[in-house]
């Protein structure tokens, strides 16, 4: 049996503006992950695949799955990449602890873990860059115009400074810091949020381009601050990025409730993370006040919190 994993991710700065060419910063979240297992399935016909993904209620043969089922599409893409046809039948089991549709990269991590498990099982090594490109192809199927930041950070598993269309820049964290990730419990529909911003931009390019540029500036400044380990300066940058995301129209009542709670519990900075309109809020906290911030966010409706140490 072959097992491979891929982590979750959060965007620290620059979501949405990154689709329009501005920089963004994302980090892996190792506290949650996807594990994909591949093993031989004796007795079945050659070249067939039995799929098990209990977290999304999927169990059946690949050739009987609807072709647009996301996991089926991933498997087809991987089979094409490796030009696999007449192989010993296999069972693919996917298990995830990454909350779905919450901005934590669950779909991307499934794709990357499956690609890795196949590559190992069939002894066909695939460079990280190619893994990322394949995961990008799946992102395109899901939401049309992805920037590529999600597949990049999930594949490279390092803090990434990312500008669309240029090679990703992994960078070092000067001093580790603690983030509370709090889930509103409301799904974050990436494609809807991205389309909403696109329509708004088409209607008023000047205003939205100024917002994108200002968001990009927070990401540029944040990179320096993170590299120098000036954790205290990160909080105000997160708050500023959040104000700009609100101006873009991707916040919502549930996000605002968690943000207010984190602020009242003395988080150092707080913003939504990912596409917004639901999904997750991230709060920068001193490690000794993490519990207080988590409790406050639970009290304001968070269905789950995850504590992550960035750079440790
Ligand atoms: C989604 O995780 C991040 C967005 O910026 C979309 C993208 O970059 O493709 C909203």
């Amino acid at each position: 049996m072959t097992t491979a994993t891929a982590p979750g991710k959060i965007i620290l700065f620059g979501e949405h503006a990154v689709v329009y060419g501005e920089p963004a910063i994302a980090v892996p979240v190792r506290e949650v992950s996807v594990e994909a297992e591949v093993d031989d399935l004796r007795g079945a016909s050659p070249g067939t695949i039995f799929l098990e993904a209990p977290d999304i209620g999927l169990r059946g043969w690949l050739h009987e799955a609807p072709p647009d089922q996301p996991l089926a599409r991933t498997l087809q893409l991987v089979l094409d990449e490796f030009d696999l046809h007449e192989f010993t039948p296999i069972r693919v089991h996917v298990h995830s602890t990454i909350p779905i549709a919450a901005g934590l990269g669950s779909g991307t991590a499934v794709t990357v873990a499956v690609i890795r498990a196949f590559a190992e099982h069939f002894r066909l090594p695939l460079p990280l860059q190619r893994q990322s490109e394949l995961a990008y192809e799946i992102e395109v199927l899901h939401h049309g115009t992805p920037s590529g930041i999600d597949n990049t950070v999930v594949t490279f598993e390092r803090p990434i400074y990312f500008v669309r269309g240029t090679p990703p820049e992994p960078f070092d964290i000067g001093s580790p810091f603690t983030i509370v990730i709090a889930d509103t419990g409301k799904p974050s529909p990436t494609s809807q949020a991205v389309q909403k911003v696109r329509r708004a931009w088409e209607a008023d390019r000047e205003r939205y381009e100024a917002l994108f540029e200002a968001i990009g500036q927070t990401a540029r400044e944040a990179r320096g601050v993170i590299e120098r380990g000036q954790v205290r300066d990160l909080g105000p940058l997160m708050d500023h990025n959040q104000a700009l995301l609100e101006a873009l129209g991707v916040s919502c009542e549930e996000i605002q409730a968690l943000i207010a709670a984190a602020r009242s519990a003395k988080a150092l900075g707080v913003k939504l993370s990912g596409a917004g309109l639901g999904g997750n809020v991230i709060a920068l906290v001193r490690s000794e006040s993490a519990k207080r911030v988590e409790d406050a966010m639970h009290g304001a409706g968070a269905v789950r919190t995850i504590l992550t140490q960035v750079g440790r």
Side-chain angles (χ1 to χ4, degrees), residues 17-229:
V18 67
V19 175
Y20 297 84
E22 293 293 336
I25 294 176
V27 293
V29 175
R30 291 178 215 287
E31 288 77 4
V32 287
S33 62
V34 170
E35 191 176 87
E37 279 171 19
V38 176
D39 55 17
D40 290 337
L41 190 66
R42 309 267 162 232
S45 318
T48 53
I49 298 181
F50 192 77
L51 263 176
E52 289 173 345
D55 308 305
I56 52 166
L58 190 72
R59 195 168 190 281
W61 294 99
L62 175 63
H63 58 269
E64 288 171 1
D68 58 350
Q69 203 289 327
L71 189 52
R73 275 187 143 154
T74 299
L75 288 170
Q76 200 49 58
L77 187 79
V78 177
L79 293 176
D80 293 346
E81 171 72 12
F82 293 128
D83 207 10
L84 288 167
H85 305 285
E86 288 299 305
F87 50 89
T88 308
I90 53 173
R91 180 189 72 104
V92 177
H93 182 96
V94 179
H95 170 62
S96 174
T97 59
I98 308 180
I100 294 169
L104 290 175
S106 64
T108 315
V110 167
T111 309
V112 173
V114 166
I115 291 171
R116 288 177 173 167
F118 265 71
E120 284 257 321
H121 184 82
F122 292 106
R123 297 199 175 79
L124 296 163
L126 203 60
L128 289 180
Q129 185 54 35
R130 186 65 193 141
Q131 293 179 22
S132 182
E133 285 163 9
L134 288 176
Y136 181 78
E137 286 185 39
I138 297 290
E139 300 279 292
V140 170
L141 296 173
H142 291 321
H143 82 92
T145 56
S147 63
I149 190 169
D150 290 4
N151 49 286
T152 303
V153 67
V154 168
T155 308
F156 285 86
E157 301 192 49
R158 293 211 37 206
I160 295 280
Y161 181 84
F162 181 86
V163 179
R164 188 173 191 168
T166 67
E169 296 176 41
F171 69 100
D172 291 328
I173 307 282
S175 172
F177 53 90
T178 307
I179 296 274
V180 175
I181 305 168
D183 191 346
T184 58
K186 186 178 174 192
S188 171
T190 303
S191 58
Q192 273 174 40
V194 169
Q195 273 168 34
K196 183 178 177 194
V197 173
R198 180 161 300 271
R199 277 196 295 272
W201 167 67
E202 279 164 358
D204 187 348
R205 290 191 181 220
E206 205 178 320
R207 173 174 142 75
Y208 280 83
E209 277 162 22
L211 288 170
F212 297 148
E213 154 85 44
I215 291 175
Q217 189 52 29
T218 64
R220 274 182 215 102
E221 283 177 36
R223 178 179 177 167
V225 161
I226 295 172
E227 282 178 324
R228 292 190 295 274

